[in-house]
PDB file of all heavy atoms in Angstrom:
ATOM      1  N   SER S 815     -98.007 -39.187   2.420  1.00 98.00           N
ATOM      2  CA  SER S 815     -97.527 -38.100   1.506  1.00 98.00           C
ATOM      3  C   SER S 815     -96.134 -37.685   1.845  1.00 98.00           C
ATOM      4  O   SER S 815     -95.595 -36.744   1.252  1.00 98.00           O
ATOM      5  CB  SER S 815     -98.561 -36.874   1.634  1.00 98.00           C
ATOM      6  OG  SER S 815     -98.377 -36.328   2.939  1.00 98.00           O
ATOM      7  N   SER S 816     -95.408 -38.338   2.819  1.00 99.00           N
ATOM      8  CA  SER S 816     -94.107 -37.873   3.216  1.00 99.00           C
ATOM      9  C   SER S 816     -93.128 -39.015   3.531  1.00 99.00           C
ATOM     10  O   SER S 816     -93.611 -40.061   3.906  1.00 99.00           O
ATOM     11  CB  SER S 816     -94.173 -36.930   4.479  1.00 99.00           C
ATOM     12  OG  SER S 816     -94.686 -37.729   5.526  1.00 99.00           O
ATOM     13  N   GLU S 817     -91.881 -38.747   3.447  1.00 98.00           N
ATOM     14  CA  GLU S 817     -90.879 -39.714   3.753  1.00 98.00           C
ATOM     15  C   GLU S 817     -90.915 -40.060   5.205  1.00 98.00           C
ATOM     16  O   GLU S 817     -90.767 -41.243   5.533  1.00 98.00           O
ATOM     17  CB  GLU S 817     -89.488 -39.132   3.350  1.00 98.00           C
ATOM     18  CG  GLU S 817     -88.349 -40.040   3.614  1.00 98.00           C
ATOM     19  CD  GLU S 817     -87.058 -39.420   3.139  1.00 98.00           C
ATOM     20  OE1 GLU S 817     -86.950 -38.174   2.864  1.00 98.00           O
ATOM     21  OE2 GLU S 817     -86.060 -40.190   3.038  1.00 98.00           O
ATOM     22  N   GLU S 818     -91.200 -39.124   6.008  1.00 98.00           N
ATOM     23  CA  GLU S 818     -91.315 -39.355   7.451  1.00 98.00           C
ATOM     24  C   GLU S 818     -92.387 -40.328   7.835  1.00 98.00           C
ATOM     25  O   GLU S 818     -92.265 -41.254   8.599  1.00 98.00           O
ATOM     26  CB  GLU S 818     -91.504 -38.058   8.194  1.00 98.00           C
ATOM     27  CG  GLU S 818     -91.312 -38.164   9.707  1.00 98.00           C
ATOM     28  CD  GLU S 818     -91.599 -36.835  10.394  1.00 98.00           C
ATOM     29  OE1 GLU S 818     -91.912 -35.840   9.726  1.00 98.00           O
ATOM     30  OE2 GLU S 818     -91.558 -36.989  11.704  1.00 98.00           O
ATOM     31  N   ALA S 819     -93.550 -40.239   7.089  1.00 99.00           N
ATOM     32  CA  ALA S 819     -94.634 -41.101   7.356  1.00 99.00           C
ATOM     33  C   ALA S 819     -94.302 -42.545   6.898  1.00 99.00           C
ATOM     34  O   ALA S 819     -94.597 -43.540   7.564  1.00 99.00           O
ATOM     35  CB  ALA S 819     -95.944 -40.590   6.666  1.00 99.00           C
ATOM     36  N   VAL S 820     -93.576 -42.641   5.795  1.00 99.00           N
ATOM     37  CA  VAL S 820     -93.155 -44.019   5.271  1.00 99.00           C
ATOM     38  C   VAL S 820     -92.267 -44.603   6.330  1.00 99.00           C
ATOM     39  O   VAL S 820     -92.479 -45.736   6.727  1.00 99.00           O
ATOM     40  CB  VAL S 820     -92.362 -43.810   3.863  1.00 99.00           C
ATOM     41  CG1 VAL S 820     -91.700 -45.166   3.615  1.00 99.00           C
ATOM     42  CG2 VAL S 820     -93.271 -43.403   2.843  1.00 99.00           C
ATOM     43  N   GLU S 821     -91.330 -43.851   6.866  1.00 98.00           N
ATOM     44  CA  GLU S 821     -90.429 -44.446   7.878  1.00 98.00           C
ATOM     45  C   GLU S 821     -91.114 -44.837   9.141  1.00 98.00           C
ATOM     46  O   GLU S 821     -90.903 -45.897   9.758  1.00 98.00           O
ATOM     47  CB  GLU S 821     -89.304 -43.404   8.200  1.00 98.00           C
ATOM     48  CG  GLU S 821     -88.281 -43.352   7.057  1.00 98.00           C
ATOM     49  CD  GLU S 821     -87.359 -42.151   7.133  1.00 98.00           C
ATOM     50  OE1 GLU S 821     -87.444 -41.393   8.115  1.00 98.00           O
ATOM     51  OE2 GLU S 821     -86.485 -42.022   6.218  1.00 98.00           O
ATOM     52  N   THR S 822     -92.156 -43.963   9.502  1.00 98.00           N
ATOM     53  CA  THR S 822     -92.856 -44.377  10.772  1.00 98.00           C
ATOM     54  C   THR S 822     -93.623 -45.639  10.543  1.00 98.00           C
ATOM     55  O   THR S 822     -93.664 -46.479  11.436  1.00 98.00           O
ATOM     56  CB  THR S 822     -93.800 -43.142  11.145  1.00 98.00           C
ATOM     57  OG1 THR S 822     -93.046 -42.026  11.258  1.00 98.00           O
ATOM     58  CG2 THR S 822     -94.584 -43.425  12.372  1.00 98.00           C
ATOM     59  N   VAL S 823     -94.381 -45.777   9.450  1.00 99.00           N
ATOM     60  CA  VAL S 823     -95.098 -47.017   9.165  1.00 99.00           C
ATOM     61  C   VAL S 823     -94.248 -48.217   9.091  1.00 99.00           C
ATOM     62  O   VAL S 823     -94.489 -49.317   9.662  1.00 99.00           O
ATOM     63  CB  VAL S 823     -95.939 -46.876   7.830  1.00 99.00           C
ATOM     64  CG1 VAL S 823     -96.477 -48.186   7.395  1.00 99.00           C
ATOM     65  CG2 VAL S 823     -97.035 -45.785   7.995  1.00 99.00           C
ATOM     66  N   LEU S 824     -93.023 -48.082   8.519  1.00 98.00           N
ATOM     67  CA  LEU S 824     -92.061 -49.200   8.455  1.00 98.00           C
ATOM     68  C   LEU S 824     -91.657 -49.600   9.823  1.00 98.00           C
ATOM     69  O   LEU S 824     -91.400 -50.761  10.062  1.00 98.00           O
ATOM     70  CB  LEU S 824     -90.843 -48.716   7.597  1.00 98.00           C
ATOM     71  CG  LEU S 824     -90.972 -48.854   6.122  1.00 98.00           C
ATOM     72  CD1 LEU S 824     -89.788 -48.171   5.439  1.00 98.00           C
ATOM     73  CD2 LEU S 824     -91.192 -50.254   5.666  1.00 98.00           C
ATOM     74  N   ALA S 825     -91.499 -48.655  10.764  1.00 98.00           N
ATOM     75  CA  ALA S 825     -90.965 -48.956  12.105  1.00 98.00           C
ATOM     76  C   ALA S 825     -92.049 -49.537  12.988  1.00 98.00           C
ATOM     77  O   ALA S 825     -91.692 -50.057  13.987  1.00 98.00           O
ATOM     78  CB  ALA S 825     -90.379 -47.635  12.684  1.00 98.00           C
ATOM     79  N   LEU S 826     -93.281 -49.344  12.613  1.00 98.00           N
ATOM     80  CA  LEU S 826     -94.366 -49.869  13.555  1.00 98.00           C
ATOM     81  C   LEU S 826     -94.635 -51.325  13.261  1.00 98.00           C
ATOM     82  O   LEU S 826     -94.317 -51.849  12.174  1.00 98.00           O
ATOM     83  CB  LEU S 826     -95.603 -48.953  13.315  1.00 98.00           C
ATOM     84  CG  LEU S 826     -95.469 -47.614  14.057  1.00 98.00           C
ATOM     85  CD1 LEU S 826     -96.537 -46.711  13.623  1.00 98.00           C
ATOM     86  CD2 LEU S 826     -95.501 -47.722  15.538  1.00 98.00           C
ATOM     87  N   PRO S 827     -95.340 -52.010  14.179  1.00 98.00           N
ATOM     88  CA  PRO S 827     -95.648 -53.519  13.931  1.00 98.00           C
ATOM     89  C   PRO S 827     -96.565 -53.707  12.736  1.00 98.00           C
ATOM     90  O   PRO S 827     -96.999 -52.790  12.102  1.00 98.00           O
ATOM     91  CB  PRO S 827     -96.393 -53.856  15.207  1.00 98.00           C
ATOM     92  CG  PRO S 827     -96.162 -52.751  16.239  1.00 98.00           C
ATOM     93  CD  PRO S 827     -95.811 -51.532  15.432  1.00 98.00           C
ATOM     94  N   GLU S 828     -96.621 -54.984  12.354  1.00 98.00           N
ATOM     95  CA  GLU S 828     -97.313 -55.322  11.146  1.00 98.00           C
ATOM     96  C   GLU S 828     -98.847 -55.035  11.139  1.00 98.00           C
ATOM     97  O   GLU S 828     -99.489 -55.201  10.144  1.00 98.00           O
ATOM     98  CB  GLU S 828     -97.064 -56.819  10.751  1.00 98.00           C
ATOM     99  CG  GLU S 828     -97.539 -57.892  11.738  1.00 98.00           C
ATOM    100  CD  GLU S 828     -97.100 -59.246  11.397  1.00 98.00           C
ATOM    101  OE1 GLU S 828     -96.172 -59.360  10.502  1.00 98.00           O
ATOM    102  OE2 GLU S 828     -97.667 -60.186  11.898  1.00 98.00           O
ATOM    103  N   THR S 829     -99.325 -54.680  12.353  1.00 98.00           N
ATOM    104  CA  THR S 829    -100.775 -54.261  12.414  1.00 98.00           C
ATOM    105  C   THR S 829    -100.933 -52.889  11.735  1.00 98.00           C
ATOM    106  O   THR S 829    -102.089 -52.487  11.569  1.00 98.00           O
ATOM    107  CB  THR S 829    -101.181 -54.213  13.912  1.00 98.00           C
ATOM    108  OG1 THR S 829    -100.212 -53.425  14.650  1.00 98.00           O
ATOM    109  CG2 THR S 829    -101.402 -55.583  14.483  1.00 98.00           C
ATOM    110  N   VAL S 830     -99.874 -52.245  11.487  1.00 99.00           N
ATOM    111  CA  VAL S 830     -99.975 -50.855  10.927  1.00 99.00           C
ATOM    112  C   VAL S 830     -99.542 -50.862   9.484  1.00 99.00           C
ATOM    113  O   VAL S 830     -98.440 -51.274   9.208  1.00 99.00           O
ATOM    114  CB  VAL S 830     -99.089 -49.818  11.686  1.00 99.00           C
ATOM    115  CG1 VAL S 830     -99.179 -48.450  11.136  1.00 99.00           C
ATOM    116  CG2 VAL S 830     -99.559 -49.806  13.197  1.00 99.00           C
ATOM    117  N   ALA S 831    -100.430 -50.486   8.574  1.00 99.00           N
ATOM    118  CA  ALA S 831    -100.179 -50.407   7.154  1.00 99.00           C
ATOM    119  C   ALA S 831    -100.519 -49.035   6.585  1.00 99.00           C
ATOM    120  O   ALA S 831    -100.927 -48.153   7.364  1.00 99.00           O
ATOM    121  CB  ALA S 831    -100.992 -51.521   6.470  1.00 99.00           C
ATOM    122  N   ALA S 832    -100.370 -48.892   5.267  1.00 99.00           N
ATOM    123  CA  ALA S 832    -100.646 -47.593   4.699  1.00 99.00           C
ATOM    124  C   ALA S 832    -101.135 -47.760   3.253  1.00 99.00           C
ATOM    125  O   ALA S 832    -100.684 -48.583   2.535  1.00 99.00           O
ATOM    126  CB  ALA S 832     -99.399 -46.695   4.779  1.00 99.00           C
ATOM    127  N   THR S 833    -101.992 -46.807   2.848  1.00 99.00           N
ATOM    128  CA  THR S 833    -102.389 -46.707   1.435  1.00 99.00           C
ATOM    129  C   THR S 833    -101.496 -45.604   0.808  1.00 99.00           C
ATOM    130  O   THR S 833    -101.102 -44.663   1.447  1.00 99.00           O
ATOM    131  CB  THR S 833    -103.841 -46.414   1.240  1.00 99.00           C
ATOM    132  OG1 THR S 833    -104.223 -45.219   1.949  1.00 99.00           O
ATOM    133  CG2 THR S 833    -104.704 -47.588   1.677  1.00 99.00           C
TER     134      THR S 833
END
Side-chain angles (χ1 to χ4, degrees):
S815 69
S816 64
E817 182 172 15
E818 191 184 356
V820 169
E821 282 164 6
T822 303
V823 169
L824 279 171
L826 286 168
E828 61 184 18
T829 48
V830 178
T833 55

